[in-house]
C-alpha cells in the first residue's frame, strides 16, 4: 500500500508525550490549519523480525495508549526501524451541501484516473510494460473482452468479493477500519500527506482482481453505490484454513513473453507454495488456471490482445488465497518436473568449476521444498539447468560465427577459422588469441607441445591444443581447435591454420605423442621445424609391448628416463648400453623402431630446452576437463576467460619480481651458483676455461660462444655450474649469458597485452552477412545414453584403480575368482 503524489517528512517527539501533544505536533510539522481541516492518523508495523509481521494491518492513532505503542516501536530501531505515520486531511465542512468531490493530486494510486487531455503526463514512447499493462492510463478503461471498466464496476464488482477484500480493513487500498462504511470514503475528498513511504514487505499483500479488465481493487476506481456492495456479515468469521502466496513473479500486471514462460513461472510458485493447479482454458489469446481442489477459490487469468508473435501475455487476475484444507492440498507434487527444477537450480551452475551432482539436487530439493526426486528426475533437471546457463548445444554451433566476429574485434591480432561442409554442417574450428600470439612470437621458447583430447558434450568431437611454456615455466596456451573427429585431415587443417599464425620460426620444435597423423602434418606444413616424441608415451609403449616382470621393470624404467634426460652423447651411449643389458628387445625397439633422435634429448636434432614430454598440453586438457562438457561456444569462451585471468594475474606477478631473471629461472641459477663456488677454474684461453670439482664431471667452458662440454649451457640456454664458476673468476656477469626468454622483462612483455572480454551477447554488433551464416551441428548423430566422462588410459599408462582385496586369501590385487594362492588345509 502506498500514497501517490504525497509528501514525505520526518519529525522528532518526546517519548512521554500524550495523544493531544502528538496531534498538535503533527499539525505543527505539516503546517495544517486546525480550524479548516481535520486529520486522521494511521500507522503500520513494518518489523524486520518475522514474528511481528502478523500485525502489519493499518491501525488508527486516536488515544494515549496507541501513542505509547507507536513510540515504543519507534524506540526499538533494530526490530522496527523508522515508524511511518500516514496522515489524511479532510475539510471541516458539511458534505451534504457539496457536489461529489474530485480526487486530488495526493490521492491513492487506486483513485488515479486518466489524466486530462491538457496535461501531458505519459511519455511519447511507450515501453512494452506501459503498452500492455492495465496500470497505464490509456488502457485502464478497456478489458480483454472489450468491456469498459465502467460496465465492470457497475455489474461485476458488486457481485463477488474475494476473501482478501472481505476481511481486509483497507479494501480499495484506502486505510479504514472494519466498521467504516464504504460511502464515507467514496464521498469524501482526501488529501494525503505521508510522513514516510510505505513499503509492504509482509506476506499479507495480495494481487487480486474480480474482473477481466481490471487489475484488482488496488488499481480500479470504485464509484459504486452502497446498496450494491456485498459485504460479508459481521457474524461470520474468516475460515482458519486460508492460505495466500505472495510471489512477485506472479502478480497482476506482470508481462510474459510466451505462454510457456508463464506456465513455468506458475509451476515454480506452486512448488514453493506446495499446491497443485490445473489449466482450465488455454488458447492463443487466453490462459486460465485454478487450484486442483474444486472447493478452492485460487485462480489466475492471463490474456493478450492478439495471437501475433511479439505480443506478450498479461496477467489480468490473481485470486491468491487458497481456501482448500490440508487434506485437499496435494503438496505440489504434480509441479515437480525436470524443467521446473532445472530453472530453480540453474544458478548453481554459474560457477563453471562447481560439481553439483544429481544426488546433491535431490538433497537440496528435499530440504527446501520437502519433495523427494528420483535420480532420473534430478539428472534431467541438471541437464535443463546446464542448458539454461550454458546454452543449447545445437544452437551453440550457430553462434560461432557471431562470437568469432566479436572476439576478433575485441582482441587485436586474434585469428579464428571455421570450416563447414556443403550442407553447412560443422567440421573444424580454430582460435588463437592475439595476446598469446604476440607473446609467443616475442618472448617464448620456440617449443610447442600439441595434443588432442575427446570432448564430452552432446556431439562429442575432439579438441586440439597447442601449448608452450613462458620464462617462468608456466603454461602459455597458444591455440585450440575443435574438430568433428581426430584424423589426418583434421590435424593437417589445424597445423595449416597454426602455420598461418606463427609462420616458419627459426629453431621451431613440436613435441607430441607417437600419433602418426601429428608427425605427418607437422613435417608437411612446417618444413623447417623439428618434431620430437614425448618420452613418457614411449615408456608406456615399451611397457605394454614387452611384458617385463615387476623387478625387471623397476630397473629398466629409471635407466630409460636417465637416458632420455641426459645431455652428453657419450653419457647417452653408456645409458643405452645399460638398456641393452637389461632387455635387448626393448632396447632394440627404442633404438631402431622409435629412433633415439626422437625421444633422447642428447640425440635430438634441434633444441628442446627442458620440454621433453607433452605434459604441458596434457595439463591444458586437464584444466578444461569440466569445460569439455560445455557447448562449443561456451567452451571457447571459457578458454578466453582463462587466458584473461592468467594474463592479468601473471602481469602483476611479473612486474613485482625484484630479480633480473624470472623466479623459476633465478632459483635454478642460484642452486648452480652454490655448486660453482666449490669448483676450481683454470684458464685455457681468453674466453675458455677448464672447470673441475664440485662433485660433478669437469667441463670446458667458452664464455664468448656460450658453450660447455657438458652441453647444459647450449641445450637449455641457461648458464651451467661450470659457466658460473668461470664468470665468477673473471668477474663477468653470468646473468647476462642467460637467454632473453628467462628474463623478467620478457615475462612482463609476454603478458603486456590483456585479453579483452566479448561483453553481453545483447550488445554484440555483428554484420548481416555474418548473422546470416548458418552452422549446423556435426552430421554424426549423438549416441544414446549417458556420455562417458572418464578418460581412456593410454597404452602402458599407470592408472590408480580401485584396490581389490581377495575374499579367499585376503591379499590385494585380485578377487576370489582369480585367486591362485595355495591355502593350507585346516582338516585334522
Amino acid at each position: 500500500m502506498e500514497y501517490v503524489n504525497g509528501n514525505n517528512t520526518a519529525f522528532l517527539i518526546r517519548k512521554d508525550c500524550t495523544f493531544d501533544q502528538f496531534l498538535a505536533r503533527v499539525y505543527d510539522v505539516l503546517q495544517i490549519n486546525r480550524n479548516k481541516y481535520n486529520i486522521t492518523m494511521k500507522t503500520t508495523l513494518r518489523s524486520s523480525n518475522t514474528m511481528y509481521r502478523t500485525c502489519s494491518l493499518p491501525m488508527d492513532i486516536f488515544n494515549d495508549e496507541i501513542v505509547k505503542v507507536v513510540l515504543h516501536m519507534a524506540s526499538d530501531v533494530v526490530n522496527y526501524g523508522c515508524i511511518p505515520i500516514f496522515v489524511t486531511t479532510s475539510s471541516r465542512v458539511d458534505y451534504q451541501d457539496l457536489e461529489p468531490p474530485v480526487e486530488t493530486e495526493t490521492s491513492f494510486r487506486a483513485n488515479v484516473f486518466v489524466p486530462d487531455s491538457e496535461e501531458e503526463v505519459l511519455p511519447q514512447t511507450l515501453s512494452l510494460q506501459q503498452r500492455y499493462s492495465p496500470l497505464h492510463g490509456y488502457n485502464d478503461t478497456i478489458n480483454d473482452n472489450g468491456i469498459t471498466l465502467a460496465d465492470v464496476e457497475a455489474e461485476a464488482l458488486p457481485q463477488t468479493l474475494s476473501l482478501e477484500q472481505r476481511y481486509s480493513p483497507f479494501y480499495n487500498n484506502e486505510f479504514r477500519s472494519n466498521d467504516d462504511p464504504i460511502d464515507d470514503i467514496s464521498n469524501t475528498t482526501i488529501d494525503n500527506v505521508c510522513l514516510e513511504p510505505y513499503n509492504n514487505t509482509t506476506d499479507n499483500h495480495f494481487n487480486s482482481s474480480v474482473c477481466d479488465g481490471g487489475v484488482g481493487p488496488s488499481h480500479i476506481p470504485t464509484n459504486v453505490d452502497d446498496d450494491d456492495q456485498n459485504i460479508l456479515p459481521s457474524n461470520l468469521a474468516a475460515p482458519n484454513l486460508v492460505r495466500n502466496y505472495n510471489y512477485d513473479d506472479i502478480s497482476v500486471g506482470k508481462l510474459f513473453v510466451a505462454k510457456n514462460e508463464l506456465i513455468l513461472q506458475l509451476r515454480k510458485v506452486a512448488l514453493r507454495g506446495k499446491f497443485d493447479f490445473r489449466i482450465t482454458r488455454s488458447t492463443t489469446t487466453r490462459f486460465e488456471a485454478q487450484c486442483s481442489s474444486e472447493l478452492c477459490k485460487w485462480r489466475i487469468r492471463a490474456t493478450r490482445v492478439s495471437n501475433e508473435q511479439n505480443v506478450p501475455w498479461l496477467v489480468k487476475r490473481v485470486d491468491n488465497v487458497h481456501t482448500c484444507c490440508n487434506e485437499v492440498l496435494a503438496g505440489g507434487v504434480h509441479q515437480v518436473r525436470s524443467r521446473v527444477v532445472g530453472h530453480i537450480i540453474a544458478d548453481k551452475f554459474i560457477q563453471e568449476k562447481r560439481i553439483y551432482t544429481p544426488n546433491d539436487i535431490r538433497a537440496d530439493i528435499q530440504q527446501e521444498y520437502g519433495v523427494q526426486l528420483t535420480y532420473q528426475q534430478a539428472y534431467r533437471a541438471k541437464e535443463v539447468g546446464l542448458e539454461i546457463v550454458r546454452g543449447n548445444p545445437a544452437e551453440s554451433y550457430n553462434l560461432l560465427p557471431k562470437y568469432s566476429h566479436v572476439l576478433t574485434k575485441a582482441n587485436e591480432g586474434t585469428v579464428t577459422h571455421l570450416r563447414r561442409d556443403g550442407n553447412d554442417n560443422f567440421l573444424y574450428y580454430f582460435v588463437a588469441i592475439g595476446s598469446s600470439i604476440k607473446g609467443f612470437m616475442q618472448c617464448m621458447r620456440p617449443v610447442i607441445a600439441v595434443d588432442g583430447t575427446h570432448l564430452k558434450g552432446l556431439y562429442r568431437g575432439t579438441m586440439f591444443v597447442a601449448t608452450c611454456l613462458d620464462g617462468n615455466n608456466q603454461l602459455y596456451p597458444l591455440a585450440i581447435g575443435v574438430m568433428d573427429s581426430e584424423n589426418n585431415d583434421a590435424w593437417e587443417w589445424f597445423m595449416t591454420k597454426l602455420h598461418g599464425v606463427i609462420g616458419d620460426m627459426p629453431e621451431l620444435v613440436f613435441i607430441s605423442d607417437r600419433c602418426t597423423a601429428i608427425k605427418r602434418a607437422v613435417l608437411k606444413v612446417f618444413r623447417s621445424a623439428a618434431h620430437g616424441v614425448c618420452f613418457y608415451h614411449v615408456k608406456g609403449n615399451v611397457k605394454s609391448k614387452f611384458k617385463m616382470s615387476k623387478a625387471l621393470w623397476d630397473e629398466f624404467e629409471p635407466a630409460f628416463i636417465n637416458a632420455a634426460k641426459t645431455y652428453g652423447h657419450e653419457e647417452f651411449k653408456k645409458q643405452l648400453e645399460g638398456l641393452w643389458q637389461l632387455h635387448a628387445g626393448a632396447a632394440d625397439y627404442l633404438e631402431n623402431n622409435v629412433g633415439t633422435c626422437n625421444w633422447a634429448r642428447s640425440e635430438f636434432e634441434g633444441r628442446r630446452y627442458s620440454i621433453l614430454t607433452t605434459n604441458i598440453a596434457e595439463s591444458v586438457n586437464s584444466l578444461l576437463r569440466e569445460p569439455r562438457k560445455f557447448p562449443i561456444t561456451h567452451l571457447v569462451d571459457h578458454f578466453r576467460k582463462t587466458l584473461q585471468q592468467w594474463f592479468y594475474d601473471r602481469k602483476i606477478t611479473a612486474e613485482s619480481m625484484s630479480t633480473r631473471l624470472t623466479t623459476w629461472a633465478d632459483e635454478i641459477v642460484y642452486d648452480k651458483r652454490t655448486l660453482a663456488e666449490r669448483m676450481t677454474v683454470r684458464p685455457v684461453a681468453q674466453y675458455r676455461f677448464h672447470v673441475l670439482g664440485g662433485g660433478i664431471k669437469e667441463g670446458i667452458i667458452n664464455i664468448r660462444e656460450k658453450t660447455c662440454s657438458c652441453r647444459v649451457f647450449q641445450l637449455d640456454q641457461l648458464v651451467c655450474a661450470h659457466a658460473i664458476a668461470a664468470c665468477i673468476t673473471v668477474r663477468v656477469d653470468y646473468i647476462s649469458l642467460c637467454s632473453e626468454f628467462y628474463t623478467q622483462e620478457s615475462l612482463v612483455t609476454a603478458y603486456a597485452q590483456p585479453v579483452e572480454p566479448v561483453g553481453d551477447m545483447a550488445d554484440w554488433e555483428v554484420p548481416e552477412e555474418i548473422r546470416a551464416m548458418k552452422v549446423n551441428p556435426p552430421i554424426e548423430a549423438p549416441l544414446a545414453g549417458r556420455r562417458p566422462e572418464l578418460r581412456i588410459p593410454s597404452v602402458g599408462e599407470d592408472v590408480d584403480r580401485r584396490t581389490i582385496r581377495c575374499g579367499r586369501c585376503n591379499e590385494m590385487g585380485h578377487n576370489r575368482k582369480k585367486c591362485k594362492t595355495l591355502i593350507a588345509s585346516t582338516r585334522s
Side-chain angles (χ1 to χ4, degrees), residues 267-312:
R267 294 193 189 281
K268 292 165 66 175
V269 171
L271 182 60
R272 278 191 225 119
K274 294 183 173 59
F275 68 89
D276 280 328
F277 68 89
R278 57 188 177 90
I279 300 175
T280 57
R281 184 176 181 182
S282 180
T283 66
T284 57
T285 58
R286 194 177 185 89
F287 173 83
E288 296 178 4
Q290 66 182 39
C291 181
S292 58
S293 173
E294 297 180 356
L295 303 177
C296 186
K297 300 299 183 182
W298 183 94
R299 66 193 65 235
I300 183 174
R301 177 184 291 116
T303 61
R304 62 175 181 169
V305 296
S306 67
N307 57 359
E308 297 179 3
Q309 183 177 1
N310 295 329
V311 178

Side-chain angles (χ1 to χ4, degrees), residues 538-603:
V538 175
K539 185 189 70 173
N541 293 337
V542 172
K543 184 177 180 180
S544 63
K545 187 177 181 63
F546 303 95
K547 306 298 182 181
M548 303 182 191
S549 63
K550 186 178 184 304
L552 179 59
W553 177 253
D554 289 343
E555 294 183 28
F556 187 90
E557 182 181 18
F560 169 75
I561 295 176
N562 291 334
K565 292 183 176 181
T566 189
Y567 287 87
H569 294 290
E570 296 300 324
E571 185 180 356
F572 172 75
K573 291 180 181 180
K574 294 179 181 179
Q575 296 286 349
L576 187 60
E577 289 177 2
L579 295 178
W580 275 95
Q581 294 176 2
L582 290 173
H583 198 289
D588 180 71
Y589 172 79
L590 291 172
E591 186 174 3
N592 299 320
N593 191 327
V594 181
T596 56
C597 61
N598 291 321
W599 57 270
R601 171 161 47 188
S602 61
E603 306 301 309

Side-chain angles (χ1 to χ4, degrees), residues 342-363:
H343 279 74
I344 292 175
I345 65 173
D347 292 342
K348 302 285 188 179
F349 300 104
I350 294 179
Q351 295 181 358
E352 296 173 336
K353 293 184 179 181
R354 178 171 184 175
I355 299 176
Y356 195 54
T357 65
N359 283 330
D360 295 334
I361 298 173
R362 296 175 65 191

